[in-house]
Amino acid sequence: MLQTIKRYQFKTIGDTRGKLIALEMFSAQVPFDVKRVYYLFDTQFGAVRGKHAHKQLKQLLICVSGSCLIHCDFGDGRKMDYILDTPDQGLLIEGLVWREMKLFSKGAVLLVLASDHYDEADYIRKYGSFLEEVKNGKRNSTSFS
Ligand code: T46
């Protein structure tokens, strides 16, 4: 089981009219086929979202407006926090990683590009079950950037 967290700096195309970012599937910036796009908005102050892991789903998270914090827990004692506060950066999460989205600023919009359709069976929503899955993972390795 490979756990991957990767930060992406997107190329911005800008001129006097403003800025534009284009993301293409299977490119260096989106390393999977996007089957679903969703976004979190109108998030209430103090709300914590996520609180689950995915078995197979790959996600690229982009805070296109405002800011939020993505807390990643690898289930073996290692934990990392990532601030997303600019639309020209993305965070790829792949593999068994417990994630929580919190500290949403007013007006924050968190866009998620996902590698598959919605499937509740792909979720691990109980932290104890997540820890068990990680423990049972035979070749558990992690890569950060
Ligand atoms: C994630 C974070 C960032 C659907 O019907 N279709 C969908 O595509 C999604 C994502 C959710 N739902 C339903 C399932 C629940 O009844 O919407 C309800 C709320 O979903 P959930 O509690 O999973 O929402 P979040 O914000 O905690 O998590 C979501 C994604 O589920 C998750 O993959 O990474 O946004």
Side-chain angles (χ1 to χ4, degrees):
M1 175 196 29
L2 184 67
Q3 296 167 305
T4 301
I5 305 283
K6 191 168 177 188
R7 256 185 190 280
Y8 287 92
Q9 179 66 49
F10 304 133
K11 180 183 164 204
T12 301
I13 305 166
D15 60 29
T16 52
R17 297 168 298 168
K19 295 176 179 169
L20 178 155
I21 290 173
L23 300 176
E24 302 211 357
M25 308 313 108
F26 289 121
S27 65
Q29 296 171 329
V30 189
F32 55 84
D33 192 11
V34 176
K35 295 216 178 114
R36 179 167 50 118
V37 175
Y38 54 94
Y39 38 98
L40 309 184
F41 63 101
D42 209 9
T43 307
Q44 299 306 301
F45 181 76
V48 180
R49 305 206 59 140
K51 292 184 134 188
H52 57 250
H54 283 285
K55 295 175 188 165
Q56 301 292 338
L57 193 73
K58 300 175 190 176
Q59 293 168 307
L60 183 64
L61 287 72
I62 306 163
C63 200
V64 291
S65 180
S67 63
C68 65
L69 182 143
I70 314 294
H71 173 72
C72 297
D73 178 335
F74 300 95
D76 56 3
R78 289 171 302 159
K79 296 172 186 186
M80 299 276 285
D81 285 340
Y82 298 89
I83 303 267
L84 294 182
D85 60 359
T86 170
D88 63 358
Q89 284 186 3
L91 189 73
L92 174 78
I93 305 181
E94 192 177 334
L96 268 187
V97 177
W98 184 265
R99 75 287 306 268
E100 296 178 5
M101 293 84 193
K102 51 180 107 175
L103 299 183
F104 289 89
S105 69
K106 195 169 161 48
V109 180
L110 180 64
L111 177 73
V112 183
L113 309 186
S115 63
D116 218 333
H117 299 287
Y118 174 70
D119 177 8
E120 189 56 39
D122 188 63
Y123 285 74
I124 303 173
R125 292 196 185 266
K126 289 195 175 130
Y127 189 65
S129 310
F130 160 69
L131 293 179
E132 204 55 37
E133 283 274 344
V134 170
K135 209 162 80 182
N136 294 338
K138 291 228 177 337
R139 295 182 312 276
N140 183 12
S141 63
T142 306
S143 86
F144 306 103
S145 66

